[in-house]
Amino acid sequence: MGYKIPLFDLNFDEAEALAAYEVIKSGWISTGPKCLEFENRFSSMLNVEHAVSLANCTVALHLALEIGGIGPGDEVIVPSLTFVATVNAVRYTGATPVFADVISAENPTIDPKQIKLLTNERTKAIIVMHYAGFPCQMDEIMEYARDWNLFVVEDACHGPLSEYRGQKLGTIGDIGCFSFFSNKNISTGEGGMLVTNNTDYAQTAKLLRSHGMTTMSYQRASGHATEYDVLRLGYNYRMDDIHAAIGLAQLDKIKADLEKRAKVRQTYLEYLAAFSEVTVPFGEHKEFSSNYIMPIVINGVGKERRDTIREAMHARGVQTSVHYPAVHRFSIYRNEKIKLPMTEAITDSILTLPFYANLSNDEVRFVCDSLAETLR
Ligand SMILES: *Cc1c(COP(=O)(O)O)cnc(C)c1O
């Protein structure tokens, strides 16, 4: 608020309001037909067998690891250049997160070479995070994971509809996890989805999202069931129909939104080409991407200078962000033995510029001019 150009703008209008209103009027507001419809449309959009709607992506990551059999004594390899939830999810299971470095400023995704170096007999899983909607090196990671029998979870929060060699992100590993938090490509306020081609995994996800119970209230209310058993220790990780209806309205818009984003990114790339001191992650990438955010790396600057640049941009009315403060530096994960030189260089010199579908050409130019003035 108060910025001339905010970091993000919600793609909401009457359609979302009406969708929520209709669910409220229907009298059934918790998990029910809208969740099912949202799941069906999401899975067909991604060409994946199963989608299970959930309260958010953090719980999707937790369920994914639990379904993968991850528990105390196990190690899970994770990136540090991600949102903290990617790593916290490992801790929920009692397992230990092991941080892997990223490849480079051009490709700030988990480095397959680091994954190999960090693997030992306790390693059970890898969580990859498709940074900004651009793919991790999935061919190499999947081949290695199959050889070593490692479970692969894709944190695909940034990449709905992004592709890697023709496959949608989130559908390549064992389980993919998506977020519909308000600032994501698809927004429902809070919301998440777990996707998989494995029917057992999907059934377990449905069981665990609802207390481990064999039936849900909607089935009982609609007369399809009268009793339930509790098979396993589950949770309340469900989405509700109000959020699902908003999600359906968002799915109507997602393709057009992503096409506009691709154009905005192109405009950015044209202006940023003049900045010799700036590296644009995935600047040369050609495959379809959700273009979730517009990060740039200002080569050679440290955290102090980067933060000064941020403040100067803010003074010009341009909101910026940092994706991400490295997770391994947070108090709960800090450990002098962790060495991630590439992640540390990137986290101190990266800056996220405003990005959303309706950002105009003039606004992009204003952001880039502000950056130029600030760097001078
Ligand atoms: C947003 C996000 C999450 C968490 O999603 P929630 O739905 O807010 O729980 C996890 N990982 C990444 C990479 C994210 O961007």
Side-chain angles (χ1 to χ4, degrees), residues 56-58 82-83 85-86 129 155 157-158 179 181 184 191 324:
N56 55 63
C57 179
T58 305
T82 184
F83 184 58
T86 316
M129 197 282 273
D155 180 337
C157 283
H158 295 189
S179 171
F181 181 66
K184 302 290 155 87
Y324 286 95

Side-chain angles (χ1 to χ4, degrees), residues 344-374:
E344 295 191 357
I346 293 171
T347 189
D348 288 343
S349 57
I350 205 160
L351 184 69
T352 305
L353 302 176
F355 198 71
Y356 42 90
N358 287 327
L359 202 59
S360 71
N361 212 315
D362 286 348
E363 287 167 326
V364 173
R365 193 174 52 217
F366 184 82
V367 171
C368 294
D369 287 348
S370 303
L371 181 67
E373 287 161 24
T374 305

Side-chain angles (χ1 to χ4, degrees), residues 60-77:
L61 290 163
H62 178 202
L63 287 191
L65 292 169
E66 199 166 312
I67 290 165
I70 310 306
D74 297 337
E75 290 185 2
V76 178
I77 298 175

Side-chain angles (χ1 to χ4, degrees), residues 134 267 280 290 355 359:
F134 298 100
T267 308
V280 181
S290 61
F355 198 71
L359 202 59

Side-chain angles (χ1 to χ4, degrees), residues 212-346:
M213 288 162 65
T214 48
T215 65
M216 286 203 293
S217 324
Y218 184 70
Q219 291 160 291
R220 293 190 297 279
S222 56
H224 295 305
T226 49
E227 285 186 41
Y228 60 83
D229 190 13
V230 176
L231 303 179
R232 279 179 66 168
L233 181 65
Y235 311 91
N236 180 354
Y237 281 178
R238 297 177 307 249
M239 181 180 273
D240 64 56
D241 269 18
I242 300 175
H243 287 86
I246 294 171
L248 283 162
Q250 287 273 287
L251 291 191
D252 290 338
K253 296 177 175 175
I254 185 71
K255 289 230 167 74
D257 186 276
L258 297 189
E259 277 161 25
K260 279 191 181 171
R261 278 173 176 269
K263 292 204 180 102
V264 175
R265 178 167 168 93
Q266 200 49 46
T267 308
Y268 260 125
L269 291 178
E270 281 159 23
Y271 285 122
L272 290 171
F275 291 72
S276 57
E277 64 275 69
V278 165
T279 299
V280 181
F282 288 94
E284 307 293 320
H285 192 78
K286 294 287 177 279
E287 254 193 301
F288 187 77
S289 170
S290 61
N291 288 313
Y292 170 55
I293 48 174
M294 187 68 219
I296 58 168
V297 174
I298 307 165
N299 302 324
V301 304
K303 184 174 184 306
E304 220 171 295
R305 172 88 178 109
R306 190 271 318 276
D307 291 344
T308 311
I309 294 167
R310 278 195 77 188
E311 279 164 33
M313 297 283 284
H314 291 184
R316 286 169 168 76
V318 178
Q319 190 183 11
T320 67
S321 185
V322 171
H323 289 85
Y324 286 95
V327 176
H328 75 282
R329 283 179 173 171
F330 290 132
S331 301
I332 72 162
Y333 291 111
R334 197 177 298 151
N335 177 339
E336 295 312 315
K337 279 182 251 157
I338 303 171
K339 295 274 182 290
L340 304 170
M342 189 57 70
T343 297
E344 295 191 357
I346 293 171

